[in-house]
Amino acid sequence: MKNYKWGIAGTGGIAHEFAANFNGKQSTLTAVASRSSEKAAEFANSYHISESYGNFEDMLASDIDIVYIAVPNAAHHTYIKKALQAGKHVLCEKAITMNLAELEEVMKIATEKNLILQEAMTIFNMPLYDELTRLMDQNKLGKLKMIQAPFGSYKDPDPKNRFFNPELAGGALLDIGTYAVSFARYFLSSSPNVIASTMVPFETGVDEQSVTILRTKENELATVSLSFQAKMPKVGIVAFENGYLEIADYPRAEQAKLTYTDGSIETIISGASAAAFQYEIDNFTETIEGQPNKSLFLTHDVIRILDQMQNTWA
C-alpha cells in the first residue's frame, strides 16, 4: 500500500489548521513552502515536517506526491497550474479558482496528465452527507422542494484586511459563499441557474452581503444569504414533500435533525466535526487509488454559480 507524501503551499491560518490535524491513512506530511524561508522553517519545526522551502518551485522539485494549496484565493490558479505541470496531485483550498475559465483550464491539465484535482470543501467529504444521500435515495422524503443556506460572519471592517481587499480576492462570496452554494448544490437534483441576486458592497467594492435565488430545471429552489458584517447561524434547511432536514454548522456537520410532516423527529448522526481534514485527506488519496472523483463536478457547478452571481452584480 503506497504512502503518499504531502507538501503544503502557504503558512497562513488554514495551513496551520491543516497541519495540526493531519492524520491520513496513507499519507505523510513531509514538506512546506512559503515565500519566506524563515516562515517555512518555523512552520516545519512546529509540526515536525522534515523539509521546508523558501519558494514553491523548489518544493515541487522534491519527491512529494500531493500539494495542498493554502495561499490566498487570487493565487490559486497559478499555484494549481504549476503543481499539475510538475506532476503533482492537487487539493486546493476554497474557492478553488476565481472563475470558471480558470477552473476549466486546470481541469484540462489534470485530465491530460492523469492527475487528481479537488477542492478542499468539507461539505463534500463529511460522512453525514453520504448518510443523507442514502436517506434521500430511499425516497422516504419525497421530492425536494426548497433549500435555505445562510452564512453570516462578522469581520473587522478594515479595508486592508484580506476579507475586504479586492487585490486579494476579498468579499464574502469567495470566502464563506463557497460553503453556502456548495451546501445547496449538494442536495439539488441538477445544476441550478441564478434567478435573482442582489449585493451590497463594502467600501472597497467587494461584496459584503448578498441574497441569491437559485432554481433547477426540476423547479427546486434555493436561497443563499451571505454577510461579512452580521453573524448568522450556519443552519442549512432542506425541505422535501414529506419532511425537512435541519443541519447545524453545516460546513463540518456531524448530525442532522429530520422533522416529518406528522411532527415526528429523527436524528441522523455520522462522522465527527474534528476529523474534517482527515476525511478530506483520506477521500483524496482514495480517489488517487481509483475511486470516482465524486466532488469535482460539484465544484465545477459551484464556481459556475459564483460566476453567474458576480455577473448579476456587475
Side-chain angles (χ1 to χ4, degrees):
M1 183 179 292
K2 180 179 173 64
N3 184 274
Y4 293 94
K5 295 181 179 181
W6 289 67
I8 295 180
T11 55
I14 193 66
H16 279 276
E17 191 175 357
F18 184 85
N21 291 278
F22 192 94
N23 184 26
K25 294 175 183 176
Q26 293 179 243
S27 298
T28 304
L29 183 54
T30 63
V32 60
S34 172
R35 289 179 297 178
S36 163
S37 298
E38 292 76 15
K39 285 185 178 180
E42 182 180 349
F43 188 99
N45 184 60
S46 296
Y47 300 105
H48 308 290
I49 298 171
S50 58
E51 302 169 18
S52 64
Y53 299 91
N55 66 74
F56 187 48
E57 290 74 17
D58 285 349
M59 186 176 76
L60 292 179
S62 72
D63 65 349
I64 58 171
D65 304 294
I66 302 166
V67 176
Y68 168 69
I69 295 176
V71 297
N73 288 341
H76 284 182
H77 176 251
T78 298
Y79 274 65
I80 293 171
K81 278 184 67 175
K82 288 182 177 181
L84 292 173
Q85 289 167 345
K88 313 299 182 184
H89 302 286
V90 175
L91 179 66
C92 183
E93 266 304 322
K94 49 79 188 167
I96 189 168
T97 55
M98 297 280 288
N99 54 57
L100 189 60
E102 289 184 351
L103 177 57
E104 290 184 339
E105 180 185 4
V106 293
M107 286 176 64
K108 184 173 184 290
I109 296 171
T111 298
E112 291 171 348
K113 291 187 170 290
N114 196 30
L115 295 167
I116 300 302
L117 169 66
Q118 286 183 357
E119 181 181 58
M121 173 50 65
T122 50
I123 291 168
F124 299 154
N125 291 278
M126 298 300 293
L128 176 68
Y129 289 95
D130 290 331
E131 287 297 319
L132 298 179
T133 296
R134 283 189 279 272
L135 181 66
M136 291 188 294
D137 289 345
Q138 295 170 8
N139 205 32
K140 291 169 60 177
L141 301 178
K143 291 182 180 180
L144 173 64
K145 304 299 288 184
M146 186 170 292
I147 297 171
Q148 296 177 16
F151 199 138
S153 178
Y154 183 83
K155 305 298 183 185
D156 180 22
D158 178 358
K160 297 179 181 178
N161 188 313
R162 73 173 181 86
F163 297 111
F164 298 108
N165 188 336
E167 295 182 1
L168 297 177
L173 187 65
L174 290 175
D175 191 84
I176 58 177
T178 53
Y179 286 113
V181 175
S182 293
F183 176 83
R185 177 62 190 96
Y186 185 87
F187 291 99
L188 292 170
S189 299
S190 61
S191 186
N193 285 313
V194 173
I195 301 304
S197 187
T198 186
M199 181 270 285
V200 176
F202 188 69
E203 63 185 72
T204 59
V206 304
D207 61 294
E208 185 269 302
Q209 61 182 3
S210 63
V211 175
T212 299
I213 299 173
L214 308 176
R215 182 174 179 170
T216 67
K217 58 183 175 60
E218 296 84 4
N219 290 325
E220 300 160 352
L221 297 175
T223 59
V224 175
S225 306
L226 309 173
S227 177
F228 256 178
Q229 289 286 273
K231 288 185 72 70
M232 291 188 285
K234 296 186 286 291
V235 179
I237 297 176
V238 188
F240 302 84
E241 289 176 319
N242 301 331
Y244 63 91
L245 291 163
E246 292 176 87
I247 307 171
D249 295 319
Y250 64 78
R252 299 186 184 184
E254 57 188 39
Q255 73 175 48
K257 184 171 79 171
L258 170 58
T259 302
Y260 291 98
T261 51
D262 64 4
S264 60
I265 295 174
E266 179 181 346
T267 301
I268 302 98
I269 301 174
S270 184
S273 299
F277 287 107
Q278 182 179 336
Y279 300 135
E280 287 183 345
I281 292 164
D282 289 342
N283 288 343
F284 190 82
T285 55
E286 288 170 6
T287 305
I288 295 174
E289 298 267 302
Q291 292 297 316
N293 195 336
K294 297 186 296 182
S295 67
L296 188 58
F297 82 95
L298 293 172
T299 298
H300 180 276
D301 285 353
V302 169
I303 298 299
R304 185 184 67 82
I305 294 165
L306 301 189
D307 271 11
Q308 285 190 12
M309 292 168 69
Q310 292 182 95
N311 289 338
T312 300
W313 303 338

